Amino acid sequence: MRNYLKHFINGEWVESTGTNTIDVINPATEEVIGRISDGTIEDLNRAVAAARAAFPSFSQTSKEERIELLNRIADEYEKRKDDIVEVVMQELGSPITISEKTHYNMGLSHFRQAAKELESFEFSERRGGALIRKEPIGVSGLITPWNFPTNQTSTKLASAFAAGCTVVLKPSEETPFAAIILAEIFEAAGVPKGVFNLVNGSGEVVGNGISSHPDIDFVSFTGSGAVGQKITENAAKTIKKVALELGGKSPLVILDDFDMVKAAQIAISNVVFNTGQVCVAASRTLVPKSKHDEFVEAVKAILPNIPYGDPQDKSNIFGPLVSEKQYNRVQGYIQKGIEEGATLVSGGPGKPEGLEKGYFVKPTVFTNVTNDMTIAQEEIFGPVMSIITYEDLDEAIEIANDTIYGLAGYVVGEDREKIEKVAMSIRAGSIRVNNAPPEMSAPFGGFKQSGIGREWGSYGIEEYLEVKSIVGIPS
Ligand code: NAP
Ligand code: MG
């Protein structure tokens, strides 16, 4: 049992002022694997006070000092590899291979990347008679979800530290252990006291406390649109800047000149990745009408060979959903797809055979989906693909953009001009062509209701900075 009943405040592990605890469950076994403190507003206030007190000195550190700090953090992070891989496997249910290749690596890459970005980052410039300076925005409240317990926290923390901001982090209560290891890493790396503070607890108490706190200058949130809205409303009362990363309903446009077997492989691997619990999941697959049957046949041939199940088995590429709540949510959408008249190609309601224990779902593919159906409009956050057909490229683009979201878009094809046309026309923050690997220095974030602001690389650092102009300094 992992019992982590302390918060990390002002460089120390401290008891909560409350006595309530929250159980953490391994979604593959449904067993309680540990507990955290259900933090209180008093805990949060202590953490905010520590972050405020640390701000004047940390905000004045040099770029070189912060590059060194970020690299020390990355070095310490590397030493904790085995712990991180195991903890993400246990609390999220991520297969060990993905836990290492994706979760461990992405967390690490943000610290290394932020250090690299700082090398060439200019914090001041001259424009005519003005000196323009970029200064850290202040105490930053970070609220993170459960789907990428190392990546979502690390991208925010690396950018905040690079900018010179002090922080209070509230990770998801579903997956809090990765953040505890991060706190231990920061301790070992010598992050100055008060610069990083961790308060565990619920969104209703600690999360809500962060967005309304008068001594917090900026909130960076990743999670659902509904909570993003609440945070924005709260933050408005103290004119607090917010950055939001709220998920999407991203289209994968398959061009008619592309090999349909390859297209099906890309589409399936994307939609089952992290059990579909991915904000940039390509959950709407747009297929040329003339290629529909060929594509569906390819999907049917590939899907039964996708290994999933026990996260401890190295050959599995996806595990259970994170919680019973997510299981029920995904089941609800599968049911809705059937009710609204979509055709099941594969999968469907209920648990997969042999995986009755744990929050496992069948990888599910629907075809004859129209873009107005609920399963084509709402974020499911599970391994569920909706196939929608199109007549010509203009129609494909129209369907792709017919959504309240704009986080990501995907194109697979051969013809460069057509690929470019689709990539330029989709209103989304990042476009991936032919399964290209992600670029850690490129910005990440959404158009439309997918969010406000950008993370990753230098764009991520910019979020944590205010701009000041000074004129008239005597020379
Ligand atoms: P969520 O409620 O938005 O949770 C995300 C984070 O916000 C958690 O740390 C949560 O705390 C906290 N939170 C909850 N209520 C809050 C409030 N009033 N003020 C401030 N913070 C608050 O997400 P969820 O319920 O876990 O997932 C629901 C759906 O959201 C998913 O099915 C998916 O569609 C979407 N989602 C998107 C992303 C993404 O990457 N964009 C990630 C996760 C989920 P707790 O620890 O108490 O939950
Ligand atoms: Mg859990």
Side-chain angles (χ1 to χ4, degrees):
M1 282 281 275
R2 295 171 188 269
N3 281 323
Y4 291 110
L5 299 178
K6 292 184 175 172
H7 306 299
F8 188 72
I9 297 173
N10 207 24
E12 283 172 34
W13 291 97
V14 299
E15 300 283 345
S16 178
T17 58
T19 50
N20 290 350
T21 61
I22 298 172
D23 286 343
V24 180
I25 290 166
N26 177 336
T29 61
E30 300 182 29
E31 276 159 16
V32 175
I33 52 168
R35 289 180 307 159
I36 51 164
S37 281
D38 190 359
T40 64
I41 288 296
E42 293 79 67
D43 296 333
L44 175 66
N45 287 342
R46 283 170 73 181
V48 174
R52 266 264 141 244
F55 183 72
S57 106
F58 190 62
S59 62
Q60 296 298 319
T61 51
S62 69
K63 188 165 106 164
E64 290 66 33
E65 286 172 298
R66 299 202 299 279
I67 291 172
E68 250 180 55
L69 180 66
L70 287 161
N71 279 324
R72 281 206 308 276
I73 290 171
D75 293 343
E76 292 298 329
Y77 185 103
E78 285 180 338
K79 292 184 196 162
R80 301 295 301 270
K81 181 173 181 175
D82 292 347
D83 297 334
I84 293 168
V85 170
E86 186 177 287
V87 111
V88 175
M89 179 181 77
Q90 288 177 351
E91 64 183 6
L92 178 64
S94 168
I96 190 152
T97 320
I98 305 296
S99 201
E100 178 183 338
K101 285 200 183 131
T102 302
H103 295 282
Y104 166 79
N105 278 329
M106 286 192 83
L108 176 63
S109 65
H110 291 301
F111 293 110
R112 292 274 184 232
Q113 188 65 38
K116 204 165 136 195
E117 297 290 345
L118 273 189
E119 307 267 353
S120 56
F121 198 96
E122 296 297 346
F123 284 88
S124 65
E125 61 166 314
R126 287 206 166 265
R127 289 199 185 182
L131 169 66
I132 297 165
R133 273 166 55 87
K134 291 178 178 170
E135 300 184 357
I137 191 165
V139 174
S140 303
L142 315 178
I143 304 172
T144 53
W146 41 262
N147 59 336
F148 287 89
T150 51
N151 174 62
Q152 319 280 39
T153 45
S154 297
T155 186
K156 294 184 194 316
L157 290 162
S159 297
F161 295 162
C165 288
T166 59
V167 307
V168 177
L169 169 68
K170 191 214 90 69
S172 165
E173 63 186 85
E174 302 284 353
T175 58
F177 296 147
I180 301 232
I181 296 181
L182 276 181
E184 291 169 355
I185 288 168
F186 298 155
E187 227 184 335
V191 172
K193 68 176 190 159
V195 169
F196 170 79
N197 302 278
L198 170 72
V199 180
N200 280 313
S202 72
E204 283 72 27
V205 177
V206 182
N208 210 45
I210 286 177
S211 61
S212 45
H213 207 292
D215 282 338
I216 290 182
D217 303 287
F218 169 53
V219 178
S220 177
F221 168 75
T222 301
S224 64
V227 172
Q229 236 177 53
K230 280 190 201 162
I231 287 174
T232 310
E233 282 168 19
N234 264 347
K237 291 172 196 150
T238 49
I239 318 294
K240 210 185 253 90
K241 178 180 165 181
V242 290
L244 306 171
E245 202 273 87
L246 306 176
K249 196 69 200 176
S250 300
L252 164 63
V253 179
I254 299 169
L255 301 186
D256 62 2
D257 60 7
F258 201 70
D259 180 79
M260 287 301 132
V261 173
K262 265 200 248 165
Q265 274 160 350
I266 292 172
I268 291 169
S269 64
N270 182 301
V271 91
V272 301
F273 173 57
N274 215 37
T275 324
Q277 303 165 122
V278 182
C279 47
V280 291
S283 48
R284 292 184 296 145
T285 311
L286 276 50
V287 182
K289 199 164 259 171
S290 60
K291 299 280 183 171
H292 172 268
D293 294 355
E294 198 185 324
F295 180 78
V296 168
E297 284 318 304
V299 167
K300 279 186 183 162
I302 296 164
L303 215 48
N305 301 317
I306 299 282
Y308 68 99
D310 183 0
Q312 298 189 71
D313 182 338
K314 279 199 167 124
S315 62
N316 283 334
I317 64 161
F318 72 96
L321 293 169
V322 72
S323 63
E324 188 175 13
K325 178 179 152 196
Q326 282 303 116
Y327 176 84
N328 290 331
R329 200 183 137 93
V330 172
Q331 291 299 319
Y333 279 114
I334 293 174
Q335 205 53 51
K336 192 87 182 162
I338 296 168
E339 280 163 27
E340 289 187 350
T343 310
L344 259 182
V345 171
S346 189
K351 291 198 175 170
E353 227 183 276
L355 292 170
E356 286 78 13
K357 189 130 191 96
Y359 308 123
F360 294 96
V361 288
K362 300 172 193 166
T364 295
V365 178
F366 282 108
T367 191
N368 298 324
V369 176
T370 54
N371 203 50
D372 56 353
M373 289 182 186
T374 307
I375 55 168
Q377 287 295 322
E378 294 183 14
E379 187 174 45
I380 298 175
F381 241 53
V384 182
M385 185 198 292
S386 293
I387 301 172
I388 303 170
T389 57
Y390 69 86
E391 292 281 359
D392 57 29
L393 220 49
D394 287 336
E395 195 193 7
I397 291 164
E398 195 186 310
I399 296 170
N401 285 328
D402 179 16
T403 165
I404 58 167
Y405 293 111
L407 190 59
Y410 301 79
V411 196
V412 294
E414 301 290 347
D415 184 280
R416 190 202 155 104
E417 261 178 49
K418 286 184 186 164
I419 288 173
E420 265 189 10
K421 181 177 173 176
V422 175
M424 304 302 173
S425 306
I426 294 179
R427 293 194 33 85
S430 62
I431 308 289
R432 190 169 175 188
V433 176
N434 292 341
N435 219 22
E439 169 56 55
M440 302 312 291
S441 64
F444 182 91
F447 283 30
K448 305 198 272 182
Q449 291 189 31
S450 285
I452 300 172
R454 292 294 178 271
E455 300 197 288
W456 298 22
S458 66
Y459 283 88
I461 299 171
E462 297 277 359
E463 289 294 337
Y464 293 80
L465 296 168
E466 279 284 17
V467 181
K468 175 188 279 178
S469 85
I470 307 171
V471 289
I473 295 178
S475 50

